[in-house]
Amino acid sequence: SQTIHQWPATLVQPVGSPLSLECTVEGTSNPNLYWYRQAAGRGLQLLFYSVGIGQISSEVPQNLSASRPQDRQFILSSKKLLLSDSGFYLCAGGTYGYTFGSGTRLTVV
Amino acid sequence: GENVEQHPSTLSVQEGDSAVIKCTYSDSASNYFPWYKQELGKRPQLIIDIRSNVGEKKDQRIAVTLNKTAKHFSLHITETQPEDSAVYFCAASQSYNTDKLIFGTGTRLQVFP
């Protein structure tokens, strides 16, 4: 069965520092992959999705970017973090419906 | 693009009572509607889903109904238990495995013993 691996689980970063969150997929190939952000007590906002290597679609303008260097790897990045980037980041996707990773709780201080 | 609205934002019920959460969607092309349960600090977990070729689906104490004409779908939990307390999200997409899911804003369900 497909599994989404995501790390780190928690991260505290200063304002202006870079960010790189990695998501990898196991148990399937050619998955659609998604990055969501969940602010405290809020819903799941779709940030980026990818249907294949090098293919990225952005849902909302923001301070973040995404890349898909390999079929089973999806990376969320920022060159300079803002306070408003704090939140719970979830990678999701797969070939057979949606599977979520365990999430990264990012606090920008 | 798709927009999913979810009500209520919070719901408190007594153990044993029923709970109903409602969602509406805007894109008539949507035909896959899953429901997720998220416990505090955890990832969302799929609890039930429905596709547009059926109007109702049940799994033990959980059921989902879909009205494609009105573009709304609902989650029904019967005989609620304290362990049902969590945040529930509805979602919609055009395809089970090839399209992005757009989520509702969530409902915080509290079941009091």
Side-chain angles (χ1 to χ4, degrees):
Chain A
S1 62
Q2 60 193 27
T3 305
I4 302 279
H5 298 284
Q6 194 179 340
W7 65 91
T10 60
L11 193 58
V12 179
Q13 293 283 99
V15 169
S17 64
L19 173 74
S20 180
L21 300 181
E22 188 164 345
C23 167
T24 59
V25 182
E26 187 178 63
T28 189
S29 57
N30 196 31
N32 288 351
L33 293 172
Y34 309 87
W35 278 110
Y36 286 86
R37 177 171 59 201
Q38 188 175 29
R42 305 290 294 276
L44 294 155
Q45 181 187 33
L46 179 62
L47 302 176
F48 300 96
Y49 69 96
S50 172
V51 299
I53 296 173
Q55 299 179 66
I56 306 293
S57 296
S58 174
E59 287 293 299
V60 293
Q62 59 209 314
N63 184 43
L64 303 168
S65 62
S67 62
R68 184 146 173 203
Q70 299 179 43
D71 180 49
R72 301 179 192 181
Q73 185 184 28
F74 199 27
I75 298 171
L76 183 70
S77 304
S78 174
K79 292 182 179 177
K80 289 186 178 181
L81 284 168
L82 306 172
L83 286 174
S84 57
D85 292 324
S86 294
F88 190 46
Y89 288 83
L90 286 156
C91 179
T95 306
Y96 311 107
Y98 249 60
T99 300
F100 278 92
S102 53
T104 295
R105 187 163 304 284
L106 171 66
T107 304
V108 183
V109 296
Chain B
E2 176 65 278
N3 182 52
V4 179
E5 296 190 357
Q6 184 172 346
H7 301 281
S9 57
T10 60
L11 181 59
S12 296
V13 299
Q14 204 72 30
E15 182 177 1
D17 288 349
S18 295
V20 180
I21 302 170
K22 298 182 179 181
C23 289
T24 60
Y25 62 98
S26 61
D27 188 352
S28 57
S30 290
N31 59 19
Y32 175 64
F33 308 94
W35 286 87
Y36 286 82
K37 176 183 180 181
Q38 186 181 31
E39 297 177 346
L40 191 62
K42 302 280 186 65
R43 76 188 84 184
Q45 300 275 7
L46 178 69
I47 55 172
I48 195 168
D49 58 12
I50 192 168
R51 304 187 197 191
S52 62
N53 57 343
V54 296
E56 183 175 0
K57 184 177 178 181
K58 293 183 75 172
D59 182 4
Q60 300 183 343
R61 297 186 296 108
I62 294 174
V64 57
T65 58
L66 171 65
N67 183 328
K68 280 223 78 177
T69 302
K71 294 185 193 169
H72 66 70
F73 56 113
S74 301
L75 178 71
H76 305 253
I77 306 175
T78 59
E79 301 172 29
T80 53
Q81 301 167 4
E83 51 265 38
D84 294 328
S85 297
V87 178
Y88 291 80
F89 291 97
C90 62
S93 79
Q94 294 186 14
S95 169
Y96 161 66
N97 60 357
T98 60
D99 188 48
K100 56 186 182 290
L101 276 175
I102 302 302
F103 285 84
T105 49
T107 296
R108 182 172 299 278
L109 173 65
Q110 289 183 299
V111 181
F112 293 98

